[in-house]
Amino acid sequence: MMDLKYGASREKPREDAAMKRFRGHRVGQFIHWGLYALPAGRWEGKDVEFAAEFLPRVAKIPQHRWEALANDFTLADFDAERWADTAVALGARYMTITTKHHDGFCLWPSAHTDFHMGNTPSGRDVLGELVAAYEARGIDVNFYYSVLDWRHPDWRFTLENDADNLAFARYLDFAMKQLVELAERYPSVKGFWFDGTWDESVKANGWWTWEVERMLKERIPGVVVNSRLRADDFGARHVDSNGLLMGDYESGYERRLPEPWDRSVAAHDWEACMTIPQASWGYHQGPWAQSTLKHPWDVVDMIAHCTSLGGNFLLNFGPRGDGSMAPAEVEIARTVGQWLGVNGEAIYGCGFAEGWEYPGWGYFTQDSSTGQVFAVVTREPASGRIRLELPTGMELVGLQLLGSAGHPFNEHPFKRLAGSVFEVDLGGATSAGPLVFALETGAITGPVAEKE
Ligand SMILES: COc1ccc([C@H]2[C@H](O)[C@H](O)[C@H](C)N2C)cc1
């Protein structure tokens, strides 16, 4: 093991109450909102693909024209209560909001820049309104903060000379001041989601990333920080040069999940973040985005996939320029939330089911406190039957289809194929969306007649 000054803070996952709470949430609402929601991927009458929040870079928009958007950011239809209601509808237990994205615009009245909400027509403190509305509903709030800042004069992608080093030192000082400001203004925030840390300039300043994590944890005990913030003494990111995870959970899964399903992922805490369109985080009005919205059952499959490997799933919403949520995204939230309303006991507070192999037709999840195992069937075989392979020596005693109150364990048709292998006929089971069974199991006590 190398002796690192700015490496991982621990070798094992955090087991304190705040981390257990974050881990048990399993489902979060990501929100990307800023000036980019106004053009929404269209500039000078032309749709620009792959560019909602990236529009200023992709369309090479002059800085002064981008900054002028602040004058149109009227928040005419922004209502934090309605946003929070969308999170409730989704069944989200936490929300992560872009306080400042790569363009440098701040959703709070920062004292350290002029590019913020205070210099817009409404002057409203968007972050303050959101924290109040979400916490009133018992939903934890986390802050996304982009270290990358395209607007700030002292930002550097690389450090070529002393002048660059001096400028970037000023930038890191500015960013630290903004992070202290966020921690002081909104002390109830539960986590920080850092982004924009892939450039050489940041990787060469692992000490700063270590200092940021230390400062936040000093000011907000229990606060949860993602792995994207951290670089170690040698510029290694997420995982330090000794192979240990930095930050409190791995956050490299962006618009992808662990494929193939691999139990080793369950060794540490992690979170996958996902867009509803194929690839747009900010609202993009064009068919490039709007024709690629995920189906609610795709989202349910991803939620169960993450839970089965002990990870959280953060589904992104891109509100429109006027502050209204996009109706199509709200509809998806409602459908997923209705499914979670019936089947959430297989997700919330659940994780990796030790000893259960990946079944192919869906996922096994296990309640971390009761040990109850669930089968989430997201890819029903054409045969209408699933092969249920229990850990060796275990007996399937019965199974309960969630949401079918009164459906006693033993009624559902299943038969033993061999030893601890059973087949369940899904035939009669009906449910809105993927089926979930609570499994009642026991130890095999006597000889088992093997099927010929
Ligand atoms: C391909 O390079 C990317 C892709 C996504 C990102 C940003 C997105 O704007 C969004 O904030 C996502 C979470 N982040 C990684 C940055 C660089």
Side-chain angles (χ1 to χ4, degrees), residues 30 32 53-54 101-102 144 193 195 198 228 254 273 281:
F30 213 167
H32 276 70
E53 73 282 356
F54 264 73
H101 204 262
H102 308 334
Y144 165 110
W193 204 102
D195 199 9
W198 48 80
R228 271 174 191 264
E254 184 235 335
C273 58
W281 294 94

Side-chain angles (χ1 to χ4, degrees), residues 128-422:
E129 293 184 40
L130 289 172
V131 167
Y134 278 77
E135 292 186 349
R137 291 160 176 78
I139 298 174
D140 289 348
V141 175
N142 293 255
F143 285 162
Y144 165 110
Y145 182 86
S146 173
V147 176
L148 165 59
D149 187 320
W150 293 324
R151 178 177 183 267
H152 196 287
D154 289 330
W155 169 263
R156 295 290 183 279
F157 292 96
T158 58
L159 303 172
E160 307 296 339
N161 50 47
D162 289 350
D164 282 349
N165 283 313
L166 277 174
F168 198 63
R170 288 194 300 269
Y171 177 76
L172 293 177
D173 184 49
F174 153 78
M176 180 65 86
K177 286 190 172 83
Q178 282 206 314
L179 291 164
V180 168
E181 183 179 47
L182 285 170
E184 286 182 343
R185 286 181 61 94
Y186 313 102
S188 64
V189 72
K190 297 296 182 293
F192 280 79
W193 204 102
F194 287 92
D195 199 9
T197 55
W198 48 80
D199 288 299
E200 291 313 309
S201 52
V202 180
K203 293 199 290 191
N205 285 276
W207 68 271
W208 180 84
T209 72
W210 189 88
E211 280 297 335
V212 166
E213 182 176 5
R214 188 193 56 74
M215 176 277 291
L216 290 173
K217 291 186 169 176
E218 207 167 75
R219 288 174 178 273
I220 309 177
V223 77
V224 175
V225 176
N226 70 335
S227 62
R228 271 174 191 264
L229 164 65
R230 304 281 276 95
D232 77 357
D233 312 49
F234 302 100
R237 294 183 59 235
H238 294 277
V239 173
D240 72 13
S241 304
N242 289 323
L244 295 174
L245 179 69
M246 294 183 280
D248 300 312
Y249 63 94
E250 208 275 301
S251 60
Y253 293 104
E254 184 235 335
R255 292 192 302 122
R256 65 184 177 91
L257 298 181
E259 287 295 355
W261 188 91
D262 178 346
R263 66 182 53 249
S264 69
V265 171
H268 58 247
D269 290 298
W270 61 280
E271 175 197 74
C273 58
M274 189 61 66
T275 51
I276 289 181
Q278 167 53 22
S280 188
W281 294 94
Y283 178 64
H284 192 298
Q285 61 189 304
W288 165 73
Q290 295 309 316
S291 65
T292 65
L293 306 185
K294 290 175 179 64
H295 188 282
W297 303 152
D298 292 334
V299 174
V300 165
D301 178 78
M302 293 176 183
I303 290 172
H305 186 149
C306 290
T307 302
S308 75
L309 282 171
N312 283 10
F313 182 73
L314 189 62
L315 182 66
N316 183 70
F317 291 73
R320 300 182 293 194
D322 62 4
S324 61
M325 281 277 180
E329 295 190 346
V330 174
E331 198 41 44
I332 290 165
R334 283 208 184 93
T335 306
V336 171
Q338 282 159 4
W339 183 89
L340 282 167
V342 172
N343 302 290
E345 63 184 286
I347 302 295
Y348 302 122
C350 293
F352 174 59
E354 186 65 57
W356 294 72
E357 293 303 326
Y358 174 63
W361 37 257
Y363 309 93
F364 291 116
T365 67
Q366 183 167 30
D367 185 303
S368 308
S369 47
T370 66
Q372 172 67 57
V373 174
F374 299 92
V376 185
V377 188
T378 58
R379 289 180 290 281
E380 189 168 329
S383 65
R385 301 197 300 247
I386 56 170
R387 179 186 170 91
L388 206 51
E389 203 157 333
L390 279 59
T392 307
M394 288 182 81
E395 181 85 65
L396 180 63
V397 176
L399 64 167
Q400 163 97 38
L401 176 65
L402 297 195
S404 61
H407 200 311
F409 264 100
N410 293 327
E411 253 184 27
H412 205 80
F414 67 89
K415 65 183 180 188
R416 186 196 307 278
L417 297 181
S420 297
V421 183
F422 296 82

Side-chain angles (χ1 to χ4, degrees), residues 106-119 174 177-178 181 185:
C106 302
L107 289 187
W108 81 99
S110 174
H112 304 291
T113 174
D114 58 354
F115 200 37
H116 61 74
M117 281 309 305
N119 294 325
F174 153 78
K177 286 190 172 83
Q178 282 206 314
E181 183 179 47
R185 286 181 61 94

